[in-house]
Amino acid sequence: MPKEVLTDVLVVGKGAREAAIGLKIKESPLVRKIYFAPGNAGTEKLGENIPIGAEEINRLAAFAADNEIGLTIVGPEEPLAKGIRDQFDEGGLPLFGVTQKASLLEASKAWAAGFEERHNIPHPRTQIFRKVDEALNFVESADP
């Protein structure tokens, strides 16, 4: 039977979601160490917090490469919307999370509404405004 490989995991984010992810990962006998970037008071009980912000994609990629991280898991949507998955893929770094383009479904409500309309996916009536006065006029003229 082959020996199982231990790996280190990097969890990107600082909220309760990332603490919950870390709590479950800690249960795995295949995980040697968990890093959180930047983490919080709860995550430091599960692993090591490192002082790199979730949006600092270049620094996160360098940390993952330098520390031979076996898997990076991204909690918040902002790094995904900024292309962390795409950059990690380019560097051959394993990452669990969607591509920048796929993240638009969550990161941009206007883009998501357009996508739903183009693909005939039912969604609430949507109006996109670029100017505040146009939005106010729309709200004031809407039926109650």
Side-chain angles (χ1 to χ4, degrees), residues 50-117:
I50 57 172
I52 302 175
E55 303 82 30
E56 297 180 81
I57 297 171
N58 291 335
R59 290 186 63 208
L60 291 166
F63 179 86
D66 292 346
N67 291 278
E68 299 179 351
I69 299 296
L71 178 64
T72 297
I73 300 172
V74 182
E77 74 182 54
E78 187 173 348
L80 296 168
K82 289 185 172 188
I84 190 171
R85 167 64 185 271
D86 307 76
Q87 185 167 336
F88 272 57
D89 283 353
E90 288 173 15
L93 302 167
L95 183 135
F96 180 80
V98 299
T99 63
Q100 185 173 28
K101 187 172 182 181
S103 75
L104 289 173
L105 283 170
E106 181 65 25
S108 171
K109 303 309 178 217
W111 191 91
F115 177 88
E116 292 161 345
E117 189 170 314

Side-chain angles (χ1 to χ4, degrees), residues 123-143:
H123 61 93
R125 190 177 97 180
T126 305
Q127 192 77 29
I128 309 299
F129 299 99
R130 305 267 183 241
K131 297 179 180 176
V132 173
D133 59 330
E134 292 174 0
L136 291 173
N137 288 337
F138 176 79
V139 170
E140 290 171 359
S141 67
D143 293 328

